[in-house]
Amino acid sequence: MPGLNSAAPGPQTAEAVPFTYEQEWYDANVRQTYVHRNVRLSYEILGPLDGALFEQAVHRFVARHDALRMEVLPLNERTPMAAQRVRPLGPDERVVHHQEVKAVSAEQFGVYAAAVLTRDFLEPWTTGHRPYTLRLLRYSSEHHAFLATFQNLVFDGRAHHLFAQEIWRDYEALRRRQEVPGTAPSFAAAALRQRTAFGPRHLRRAQDSWYDRAGFAGLNPWHRPDHAAASEDGAVPAELSAAQVAALRQACEREHCTLLQWVVAAFARAIAQCTGRRRLSLWTSMDSRRAAERDVVGMFAGVAPLKVEHATAPLPEVRAEVSGQILEALRYQQLSGRQLRTMLRELAPDEGWLGRDIHINLRRFEGDHQQTRHDGDLRVTADAYPLRRVTFANASALQLRCDEYRDRLFINLLFDGHRVGRQLAQAILGCLTADLTVDCGTDVRTPRKSS
């Protein structure tokens, strides 16, 4: 394809690069089956898409972000620890699979696209293959589906956001015959910096901090309150409008905290209000990228325990405690997978509480929320093809999923029916949203019927 490899490649290295701390933890605890988990994208594209130009935009992304050219090295005497290296793209290597789909209707095409995405999501990934599958399905000249799955070992939620942002930016630039970036911050370099940035004293302090927070979790497991009625597993959602999010951001500025810090504190306080529990262990997602590394594609997303000892206190006090715990976790996230496994086995030999009884997944997206966007003469709908007949098991009693956009806040509280129950989950969500909208004066939307 003319011009396909004209983008300058990203940083190359034949040397072994250590896993990030987050990769090592994921490799030890999740990756045994090499399944594509958690990171997938799908788009319905209506309008006159230039398939060759779109592939070039995707190819440019892969060429400049070395995380997508990583290969895992086999363990041997030369590489006794988990490691990886950059394998350059071949001169004629295609990154996007094209397929013409003969379907009797647009609806049947959509069903087929969902089935293909599901198959790719579940397809085992073996060493030696690229850690992604990218497909452009064509139903007609003005109706396409773009399906992408990425191995979580090299691709986290921030990488997901960067991919979705950059491919459409670059496609539009190429369509206008404008330049697109040829290089990007290197994942290999960031991984090296992460593993060499801290000395022995800091790493000992990190271990002490983990022992303290994880030990607290072991002493404070979740127990269903006596008044909570069991139900089927499920989820209860809520959505804050643009006006409500703007008011919450103003309140955060006055209180010198982030919006997501406020959310975590309000969630802890909501659980305390509805259960009477003063001491709570929360496990939350952490992105260890430094501010200067926000545009690095790779795997830097891990989990960390937070200990809340005064969840029944007034909101400002809970917020201060939670903010301090989040900063503590960010400062001392640096523990290897081997160290974590050893520590957790010491604290809980049966590992029964490691399912993270209360889990918080926080994601922050730049810009406004747009399920459907218009890129020039294209109409592009994200998350257009749901997985088919795939059930996800949730080991947590409560899992709060929060997606923050500039103009929206989407909340979904998943609950274990036996350990929590729908009635208690709804009460917790009500207390949570009350603390998020205290300065707004408007009701929170419940956008869809609870599942």
Side-chain angles (χ1 to χ4, degrees):
M1 184 177 299
L4 192 63
N5 292 315
S6 58
Q12 309 289 344
T13 178
E15 300 298 322
V17 177
F19 276 16
T20 63
Y21 292 112
E22 293 79 13
Q23 279 184 299
E24 192 174 307
W25 175 250
Y26 178 84
D27 181 67
N29 292 277
V30 181
R31 194 181 62 97
Q32 287 81 2
T33 58
Y34 290 85
V35 171
H36 287 283
R37 296 172 188 257
N38 301 328
V39 184
R40 66 189 186 275
L41 297 91
S42 65
Y43 296 95
E44 180 187 60
I45 308 169
L46 301 179
L49 178 75
D50 185 326
L53 210 59
F54 181 74
E55 179 180 354
Q56 189 174 347
V58 177
H59 192 283
R60 297 289 185 98
F61 184 92
V62 175
R64 67 176 177 262
H65 289 288
D66 57 0
L68 294 183
R69 291 177 281 111
M70 286 290 178
E71 63 176 358
V72 178
L73 298 177
L75 299 179
N76 53 42
E77 292 182 0
R78 295 185 60 189
T79 57
M81 302 293 289
Q84 58 201 331
R85 70 182 174 195
V86 180
R87 179 161 62 93
L89 289 173
D92 299 314
E93 184 175 348
R94 301 284 293 271
V95 300
V96 178
H97 303 280
H98 291 249
Q99 182 182 353
E100 294 272 351
V101 178
K102 303 296 184 182
V104 299
S105 66
E107 290 75 18
Q108 187 187 65
F109 174 72
V111 170
Y112 177 78
V116 171
L117 181 66
T118 303
R119 183 190 65 195
D120 287 344
F121 180 75
L122 298 176
E123 182 72 19
W125 173 61
T126 56
T127 302
H129 289 75
R130 297 295 187 188
Y132 56 80
T133 301
L134 306 169
R135 301 185 189 277
L136 185 63
L137 309 184
R138 184 181 186 272
Y139 172 60
S140 70
S141 61
E142 298 209 352
H143 191 167
H144 294 78
F146 178 58
L147 313 175
T149 57
F150 299 94
Q151 177 47 241
N152 211 175
L153 185 66
V154 294
F155 206 86
D156 61 12
R158 174 64 182 171
H160 178 156
H161 172 72
L162 291 170
F163 181 82
Q165 183 183 62
E166 292 183 16
I167 58 168
W168 297 110
R169 177 201 68 190
D170 291 355
Y171 173 74
E172 184 61 21
L174 291 171
R175 198 176 68 83
R176 298 185 181 205
R177 300 182 180 275
Q178 298 171 346
E179 291 294 322
V180 301
T183 60
S186 167
F187 173 60
L192 283 167
R193 282 194 300 271
Q194 186 201 61
R195 299 306 292 257
T196 58
F198 304 99
R201 289 184 60 187
H202 181 94
L203 295 177
R204 284 195 298 271
R205 181 66 184 90
Q207 191 166 18
D208 291 343
S209 177
W210 264 91
Y211 263 107
D212 178 45
R213 289 177 283 124
F216 180 87
L219 295 172
N220 294 277
W222 173 267
H223 298 291
R224 190 182 79 188
D226 293 337
H227 66 275
S231 72
E232 293 184 351
D233 295 351
V236 286
E239 175 185 330
L240 270 66
S241 68
Q244 292 166 330
V245 172
L248 182 56
R249 290 193 196 285
Q250 291 177 357
C252 289
E253 289 181 9
R254 291 194 303 269
E255 301 299 327
H256 306 290
C257 69
T258 68
L259 186 148
L260 294 179
Q261 287 172 344
W262 192 306
V263 169
V264 175
F267 183 48
R269 190 167 178 267
I271 295 172
Q273 287 177 307
C274 295
T275 66
R277 292 175 60 105
R278 182 173 62 88
R279 296 161 63 88
L280 294 173
S281 174
L282 312 176
W283 289 75
T284 188
S285 51
M286 286 282 172
D287 184 340
S288 65
R289 288 173 177 82
R290 295 183 291 188
E293 298 173 337
R294 293 298 294 162
D295 291 336
V296 176
V297 167
M299 178 57 172
F300 292 100
V303 296
L306 311 177
K307 66 173 188 178
V308 182
E309 299 190 83
H310 305 285
T312 53
L315 179 60
E317 295 177 24
V318 180
R319 195 166 56 233
E321 184 178 12
V322 164
S323 297
Q325 278 287 298
I326 291 175
L327 292 175
E328 171 85 3
L330 285 171
R331 186 180 295 116
Y332 297 116
Q333 189 73 341
Q334 305 80 21
L335 240 61
S336 71
R338 179 180 299 179
Q339 288 174 308
L340 281 173
R341 288 194 301 276
T342 299
M343 177 195 68
L344 295 174
R345 279 197 297 266
E346 290 176 7
L347 293 171
D350 62 353
E351 299 189 2
W353 57 272
L354 298 185
R356 300 188 297 275
D357 291 333
I358 305 174
H359 188 201
I360 305 169
N361 183 251
L362 307 170
R363 298 195 301 174
R364 185 177 182 275
F365 297 90
E366 297 163 6
D368 293 343
H369 175 257
Q370 292 180 305
Q371 189 73 17
T372 299
R373 55 191 288 177
H374 294 273
D375 287 292
D377 46 7
L378 297 180
R379 185 175 183 267
V380 181
T381 301
D383 300 322
Y385 305 103
L387 297 179
R388 295 173 57 84
R389 294 186 290 274
V390 174
T391 301
F392 295 93
N394 180 24
S396 303
L398 285 166
Q399 182 177 6
L400 180 71
R401 295 179 180 175
C402 180
D403 289 349
E404 175 195 355
Y405 295 84
R406 184 168 55 194
D407 66 336
R408 289 289 190 279
L409 190 68
F410 295 99
I411 298 169
N412 204 26
L413 181 59
L414 283 65
F415 61 88
D416 181 316
H418 177 71
R419 291 188 288 168
V420 178
R422 179 173 296 278
Q423 184 178 4
L424 177 57
Q426 289 174 328
I428 291 171
L429 183 69
C431 292
L432 166 62
T433 54
D435 272 349
L436 296 179
T437 57
V438 64
D439 294 327
C440 303
T442 54
D443 293 331
V444 179
R445 291 178 57 197
T446 52
R448 59 191 183 278
K449 185 178 180 179
S450 301
S451 60

